[in-house]
CSV table of all heavy atoms in Angstrom, one decimal:
chain,number,residue,atom,x,y,z
A,13,ARG,N,92.5,94.4,108.6
A,13,ARG,CA,92.9,94.6,107.2
A,13,ARG,C,92.3,95.9,106.7
A,13,ARG,O,93.0,96.7,106.0
A,13,ARG,CB,92.5,93.4,106.3
A,13,ARG,CG,93.0,93.5,104.9
A,13,ARG,CD,92.5,92.3,104.0
A,13,ARG,NE,93.0,91.1,104.5
A,13,ARG,CZ,92.2,90.0,104.8
A,13,ARG,NH1,90.9,90.0,104.6
A,13,ARG,NH2,92.7,88.9,105.2
A,14,LYS,N,91.0,96.1,107.0
A,14,LYS,CA,90.3,97.3,106.5
A,14,LYS,C,90.9,98.5,107.2
A,14,LYS,O,91.1,99.6,106.7
A,14,LYS,CB,88.8,97.2,106.9
A,14,LYS,CG,88.0,96.5,105.8
A,14,LYS,CD,86.5,96.6,106.2
A,14,LYS,CE,85.7,96.2,105.0
A,14,LYS,NZ,85.5,97.3,104.1
A,15,LYS,N,91.3,98.3,108.5
A,15,LYS,CA,91.9,99.4,109.3
A,15,LYS,C,93.2,99.8,108.7
A,15,LYS,O,93.5,101.0,108.6
A,15,LYS,CB,92.0,99.0,110.7
A,15,LYS,CG,92.5,100.2,111.6
A,15,LYS,CD,92.5,99.8,113.1
A,15,LYS,CE,92.9,100.9,114.0
A,15,LYS,NZ,92.9,100.6,115.4
A,16,ARG,N,94.0,98.8,108.3
A,16,ARG,CA,95.3,99.1,107.7
A,16,ARG,C,95.2,99.9,106.4
A,16,ARG,O,95.8,100.9,106.1
A,16,ARG,CB,96.1,97.8,107.4
A,16,ARG,CG,97.5,98.0,107.0
A,16,ARG,CD,98.3,96.8,106.9
A,16,ARG,NE,97.8,95.9,105.9
A,16,ARG,CZ,97.1,94.7,106.1
A,16,ARG,NH1,96.9,94.4,107.4
A,16,ARG,NH2,96.7,94.0,105.2
A,17,VAL,N,94.2,99.5,105.5
A,17,VAL,CA,93.9,100.2,104.3
A,17,VAL,C,93.4,101.6,104.6
A,17,VAL,O,93.9,102.5,103.9
A,17,VAL,CB,92.9,99.4,103.5
A,17,VAL,CG1,92.4,100.2,102.2
A,17,VAL,CG2,93.4,98.0,103.0
A,18,TYR,N,92.6,101.7,105.6
A,18,TYR,CA,92.0,103.0,105.9
A,18,TYR,C,93.1,103.9,106.4
A,18,TYR,O,93.1,105.1,106.0
A,18,TYR,CB,90.9,102.8,107.0
A,18,TYR,CG,90.9,103.9,108.0
A,18,TYR,CD1,90.3,105.1,107.7
A,18,TYR,CD2,91.3,103.7,109.3
A,18,TYR,CE1,90.3,106.1,108.6
A,18,TYR,CE2,91.2,104.7,110.3
A,18,TYR,CZ,90.7,105.9,109.9
A,18,TYR,OH,90.6,106.9,110.8
A,19,LEU,N,94.0,103.4,107.2
A,19,LEU,CA,95.1,104.3,107.7
A,19,LEU,C,96.1,104.7,106.5
A,19,LEU,O,96.5,105.9,106.5
A,19,LEU,CB,96.0,103.5,108.8
A,19,LEU,CG,95.3,103.3,110.1
A,19,LEU,CD1,96.1,102.4,111.0
A,19,LEU,CD2,95.0,104.6,110.8
A,20,GLU,N,96.3,103.8,105.6
A,20,GLU,CA,97.1,104.2,104.4
A,20,GLU,C,96.4,105.2,103.6
A,20,GLU,O,97.0,106.2,103.1
A,20,GLU,CB,97.3,102.9,103.6
A,20,GLU,CG,98.3,101.9,104.2
A,20,GLU,CD,98.4,100.6,103.4
A,20,GLU,OE1,97.7,100.5,102.4
A,20,GLU,OE2,99.2,99.7,103.9
A,21,GLU,N,95.0,105.1,103.4
A,21,GLU,CA,94.3,106.1,102.7
A,21,GLU,C,94.3,107.4,103.4
A,21,GLU,O,94.4,108.5,102.8
A,21,GLU,CB,92.8,105.6,102.5
A,21,GLU,CG,92.7,104.4,101.5
A,21,GLU,CD,91.3,103.9,101.4
A,21,GLU,OE1,90.4,104.4,102.2
A,21,GLU,OE2,91.0,103.1,100.5
A,22,LYS,N,94.1,107.3,104.7
A,22,LYS,CA,94.1,108.6,105.5
A,22,LYS,C,95.4,109.3,105.4
A,22,LYS,O,95.5,110.5,105.2
A,22,LYS,CB,93.9,108.2,107.0
A,22,LYS,CG,93.9,109.4,107.9
A,22,LYS,CD,93.6,108.9,109.4
A,22,LYS,CE,93.6,110.1,110.3
A,22,LYS,NZ,93.4,109.7,111.7
A,23,LYS,N,96.5,108.6,105.3
A,23,LYS,CA,97.8,109.2,105.2
A,23,LYS,C,98.0,109.9,103.8
A,23,LYS,O,98.4,111.0,103.7
A,23,LYS,CB,98.9,108.1,105.3
A,23,LYS,CG,100.4,108.7,105.3
A,23,LYS,CD,101.4,107.6,105.5
A,23,LYS,CE,102.8,108.1,105.5
A,23,LYS,NZ,103.8,107.1,105.7
A,24,LEU,N,97.5,109.2,102.8
A,24,LEU,CA,97.5,109.8,101.4
A,24,LEU,C,96.6,111.0,101.3
A,24,LEU,O,97.0,112.0,100.7
A,24,LEU,CB,97.1,108.7,100.4
A,24,LEU,CG,98.1,107.6,100.1
A,24,LEU,CD1,97.5,106.5,99.3
A,24,LEU,CD2,99.4,108.1,99.5
A,25,LEU,N,95.4,110.9,101.9
A,25,LEU,CA,94.5,112.0,101.8
A,25,LEU,C,95.0,113.2,102.6
A,25,LEU,O,94.9,114.3,102.1
A,25,LEU,CB,93.1,111.6,102.5
A,25,LEU,CG,92.3,110.5,101.6
A,25,LEU,CD1,91.1,110.1,102.4
A,25,LEU,CD2,91.9,111.1,100.3
A,26,ASN,N,95.6,113.0,103.7
A,26,ASN,CA,96.2,114.1,104.5
A,26,ASN,C,97.3,114.8,103.7
A,26,ASN,O,97.6,116.0,103.9
A,26,ASN,CB,96.7,113.6,105.8
A,26,ASN,CG,95.6,113.3,106.8
A,26,ASN,OD1,94.5,113.8,106.6
A,26,ASN,ND2,95.8,112.5,107.8
A,27,GLN,N,98.1,114.0,102.9
A,27,GLN,CA,99.1,114.5,102.1
A,27,GLN,C,98.6,115.4,101.0
A,27,GLN,O,99.2,116.4,100.6
A,27,GLN,CB,100.0,113.4,101.6
A,27,GLN,CG,100.9,112.8,102.7
A,27,GLN,CD,101.6,111.5,102.2
A,27,GLN,OE1,101.4,111.1,101.1
A,27,GLN,NE2,102.5,111.0,103.0
A,28,LYS,N,97.5,114.9,100.4
A,28,LYS,CA,97.0,115.6,99.1
A,28,LYS,C,95.9,116.6,99.4
A,28,LYS,O,95.9,117.6,98.6
A,28,LYS,CB,96.5,114.5,98.2
A,28,LYS,CG,97.6,113.5,97.7
A,28,LYS,CD,97.0,112.5,96.8
A,28,LYS,CE,98.0,111.5,96.3
A,28,LYS,NZ,97.5,110.5,95.4
A,29,PHE,N,95.1,116.4,100.3
A,29,PHE,CA,93.9,117.2,100.5
A,29,PHE,C,93.6,117.6,101.9
A,29,PHE,O,94.0,117.0,102.8
A,29,PHE,CB,92.6,116.5,100.0
A,29,PHE,CG,92.7,116.0,98.6
A,29,PHE,CD1,92.9,114.7,98.3
A,29,PHE,CD2,92.6,116.9,97.5
A,29,PHE,CE1,93.0,114.2,97.0
A,29,PHE,CE2,92.7,116.4,96.2
A,29,PHE,CZ,92.9,115.1,96.0
A,30,GLU,N,92.9,118.8,102.1
A,30,GLU,CA,92.5,119.2,103.4
A,30,GLU,C,91.0,119.6,103.3
A,30,GLU,O,90.5,120.3,104.1
A,30,GLU,CB,93.3,120.4,103.9
A,30,GLU,CG,94.7,120.0,104.4
A,30,GLU,CD,94.6,119.1,105.6
A,30,GLU,OE1,93.7,119.2,106.4
A,30,GLU,OE2,95.5,118.2,105.7
A,31,SER,N,90.3,119.0,102.3
A,31,SER,CA,88.9,119.5,102.1
A,31,SER,C,88.0,118.9,103.2
A,31,SER,O,88.3,117.8,103.8
A,31,SER,CB,88.4,119.0,100.7
A,31,SER,OG,88.1,117.6,100.8
A,32,GLU,N,86.9,119.6,103.4
A,32,GLU,CA,86.0,119.2,104.5
A,32,GLU,C,85.4,117.8,104.2
A,32,GLU,O,85.1,117.0,105.1
A,32,GLU,CB,84.9,120.2,104.6
A,32,GLU,CG,84.1,120.1,105.9
A,32,GLU,CD,84.9,120.5,107.1
A,32,GLU,OE1,85.9,121.3,107.0
A,32,GLU,OE2,84.6,120.0,108.2
A,33,LEU,N,85.1,117.5,102.9
A,33,LEU,CA,84.5,116.3,102.6
A,33,LEU,C,85.4,115.1,102.9
A,33,LEU,O,84.9,114.1,103.4
A,33,LEU,CB,84.2,116.3,101.1
A,33,LEU,CG,83.4,115.0,100.5
A,33,LEU,CD1,82.1,114.9,101.2
A,33,LEU,CD2,83.3,115.1,99.0
A,34,LEU,N,86.7,115.2,102.7
A,34,LEU,CA,87.6,114.1,103.0
A,34,LEU,C,87.7,114.0,104.5
A,34,LEU,O,87.8,112.8,105.0
A,34,LEU,CB,89.0,114.4,102.3
A,34,LEU,CG,89.0,114.3,100.8
A,34,LEU,CD1,90.3,114.8,100.2
A,34,LEU,CD2,88.7,112.9,100.3
A,35,LYS,N,87.7,115.1,105.2
A,35,LYS,CA,87.8,115.0,106.7
A,35,LYS,C,86.6,114.2,107.2
A,35,LYS,O,86.6,113.4,108.1
A,35,LYS,CB,87.8,116.4,107.3
A,35,LYS,CG,89.1,117.1,107.1
A,35,LYS,CD,89.0,118.5,107.8
A,35,LYS,CE,90.3,119.3,107.6
A,35,LYS,NZ,90.1,120.6,108.2
A,36,THR,N,85.4,114.5,106.6
A,36,THR,CA,84.2,113.9,107.0
A,36,THR,C,84.2,112.4,106.7
A,36,THR,O,83.8,111.6,107.6
A,36,THR,CB,83.0,114.5,106.2
A,36,THR,OG1,82.9,115.9,106.4
A,36,THR,CG2,81.7,113.8,106.6
A,37,GLN,N,84.8,112.0,105.6
A,37,GLN,CA,84.9,110.5,105.3
A,37,GLN,C,85.8,109.8,106.3
A,37,GLN,O,85.5,108.7,106.8
A,37,GLN,CB,85.5,110.4,103.9
A,37,GLN,CG,85.6,108.9,103.4
A,37,GLN,CD,86.1,108.8,102.0
A,37,GLN,OE1,86.6,109.8,101.4
A,37,GLN,NE2,85.9,107.6,101.4
A,38,ILE,N,86.9,110.5,106.7
A,38,ILE,CA,87.8,109.9,107.7
A,38,ILE,C,87.1,109.7,109.0
A,38,ILE,O,87.2,108.7,109.7
A,38,ILE,CB,89.1,110.7,107.8
A,38,ILE,CG1,89.9,110.6,106.6
A,38,ILE,CG2,89.9,110.3,109.0
A,38,ILE,CD1,91.1,111.6,106.5
A,39,GLU,N,86.3,110.8,109.4
A,39,GLU,CA,85.7,110.7,110.7
A,39,GLU,C,84.6,109.7,110.8
A,39,GLU,O,84.4,109.0,111.8
A,39,GLU,CB,85.1,112.1,111.0
A,39,GLU,CG,86.1,113.2,111.3
A,39,GLU,CD,85.5,114.6,111.4
A,39,GLU,OE1,84.4,114.7,111.0
A,39,GLU,OE2,86.3,115.5,111.7
A,40,VAL,N,83.9,109.5,109.7
A,40,VAL,CA,82.8,108.4,109.6
A,40,VAL,C,83.5,107.0,109.8
A,40,VAL,O,83.0,106.2,110.5
A,40,VAL,CB,82.0,108.5,108.3
A,40,VAL,CG1,81.2,107.2,108.1
A,40,VAL,CG2,81.1,109.7,108.3
A,41,GLN,N,84.6,106.8,109.1
A,41,GLN,CA,85.4,105.6,109.2
A,41,GLN,C,85.9,105.4,110.7
A,41,GLN,O,85.8,104.3,111.2
A,41,GLN,CB,86.5,105.6,108.2
A,41,GLN,CG,86.1,105.4,106.8
A,41,GLN,CD,87.2,105.5,105.8
A,41,GLN,OE1,88.3,105.9,106.1
A,41,GLN,NE2,87.0,105.1,104.6
A,42,GLU,N,86.4,106.4,111.3
A,42,GLU,CA,86.9,106.4,112.6
A,42,GLU,C,85.8,106.0,113.6
A,42,GLU,O,86.0,105.2,114.5
A,42,GLU,CB,87.6,107.7,113.1
A,42,GLU,CG,88.9,107.9,112.4
A,42,GLU,CD,89.6,109.2,112.8
A,42,GLU,OE1,88.8,110.1,113.3
A,42,GLU,OE2,90.8,109.4,112.6
A,43,GLN,N,84.7,106.6,113.4
A,43,GLN,CA,83.5,106.3,114.3
A,43,GLN,C,83.1,104.8,114.2
A,43,GLN,O,82.9,104.2,115.2
A,43,GLN,CB,82.3,107.2,113.8
A,43,GLN,CG,81.1,107.0,114.7
A,43,GLN,CD,81.1,107.9,115.9
A,43,GLN,OE1,82.0,108.6,116.1
A,43,GLN,NE2,80.0,107.7,116.7
A,44,THR,N,83.1,104.3,112.9
A,44,THR,CA,82.8,102.9,112.7
A,44,THR,C,83.8,102.0,113.4
A,44,THR,O,83.5,101.0,114.0
A,44,THR,CB,82.7,102.6,111.2
A,44,THR,OG1,81.8,103.5,110.6
A,44,THR,CG2,82.4,101.2,110.9
A,45,MET,N,85.1,102.3,113.2
A,45,MET,CA,86.2,101.5,113.8
A,45,MET,C,86.1,101.4,115.3
A,45,MET,O,86.2,100.4,115.9
A,45,MET,CB,87.6,102.0,113.4
A,45,MET,CG,87.9,101.9,111.9
A,45,MET,SD,87.8,100.2,111.3
A,45,MET,CE,88.1,100.5,109.5
A,46,GLN,N,85.8,102.6,115.9
A,46,GLN,CA,85.7,102.7,117.4
A,46,GLN,C,84.5,101.8,117.9
A,46,GLN,O,84.6,101.1,118.9
A,46,GLN,CB,85.5,104.1,117.8
A,46,GLN,CG,86.8,104.9,117.7
A,46,GLN,CD,86.5,106.4,118.0
A,46,GLN,OE1,85.4,106.8,118.4
A,46,GLN,NE2,87.5,107.2,117.7
A,47,LEU,N,83.4,101.9,117.1
A,47,LEU,CA,82.2,101.1,117.5
A,47,LEU,C,82.5,99.6,117.4
A,47,LEU,O,82.1,98.8,118.3
A,47,LEU,CB,81.0,101.5,116.6
A,47,LEU,CG,79.7,101.1,117.1
A,47,LEU,CD1,79.3,101.4,118.5
A,47,LEU,CD2,78.6,101.6,116.1
A,48,ILE,N,83.1,99.2,116.3
A,48,ILE,CA,83.4,97.8,116.1
A,48,ILE,C,84.4,97.3,117.2
A,48,ILE,O,84.2,96.2,117.8
A,48,ILE,CB,84.0,97.5,114.7
A,48,ILE,CG1,83.0,97.7,113.6
A,48,ILE,CG2,84.6,96.1,114.6
A,48,ILE,CD1,83.5,97.7,112.2
A,49,SER,N,85.4,98.1,117.5
A,49,SER,CA,86.4,97.7,118.5
A,49,SER,C,85.8,97.5,119.8
A,49,SER,O,86.0,96.5,120.6
A,49,SER,CB,87.5,98.7,118.5
A,49,SER,OG,88.5,98.4,119.5
A,50,SER,N,85.0,98.5,120.2
A,50,SER,CA,84.4,98.5,121.6
A,50,SER,C,83.4,97.3,121.7
A,50,SER,O,83.3,96.7,122.8
A,50,SER,CB,83.7,99.8,121.9
A,50,SER,OG,82.4,99.8,121.8
A,51,ASN,N,82.6,97.0,120.6
A,51,ASN,CA,81.7,95.9,120.7
A,51,ASN,C,82.3,94.5,120.7
A,51,ASN,O,81.9,93.6,121.4
A,51,ASN,CB,80.7,96.0,119.6
A,51,ASN,CG,79.5,96.9,119.9
A,51,ASN,OD1,78.5,96.5,120.5
A,51,ASN,ND2,79.6,98.2,119.5
A,52,LEU,N,83.4,94.4,120.0
A,52,LEU,CA,84.2,93.1,120.0
A,52,LEU,C,84.7,92.9,121.4
A,52,LEU,O,84.7,91.7,121.9
A,52,LEU,CB,85.4,93.2,119.0
A,52,LEU,CG,85.1,92.9,117.6
A,52,LEU,CD1,86.3,93.2,116.7
A,52,LEU,CD2,84.6,91.4,117.4
A,53,HIS,N,85.2,93.9,122.1
A,53,HIS,CA,85.8,93.8,123.4
A,53,HIS,C,84.7,93.6,124.5
A,53,HIS,O,84.8,92.7,125.3
A,53,HIS,CB,86.7,95.0,123.7
A,53,HIS,CG,87.4,94.9,125.0
A,53,HIS,ND1,86.8,95.4,126.2
A,53,HIS,CD2,88.5,94.3,125.4
A,53,HIS,CE1,87.6,95.2,127.2
A,53,HIS,NE2,88.7,94.5,126.7
A,54,ASP,N,83.8,94.5,124.5
A,54,ASP,CA,82.8,94.6,125.6
A,54,ASP,C,81.6,93.7,125.5
A,54,ASP,O,81.2,93.1,126.5
A,54,ASP,CB,82.3,96.0,125.8
A,54,ASP,CG,83.4,97.0,126.1
A,54,ASP,OD1,84.5,96.6,126.6
A,54,ASP,OD2,83.3,98.2,125.7
């Protein structure tokens, strides 16, 4: 559910902004999602 919201936010942010701060926010979220996914599986 959080991932779906995050992807929707990412799409909106990419449409409206290209600022470094917003890119950073997306990258932090991606890092978190990857870590959760890998730990759930492995």
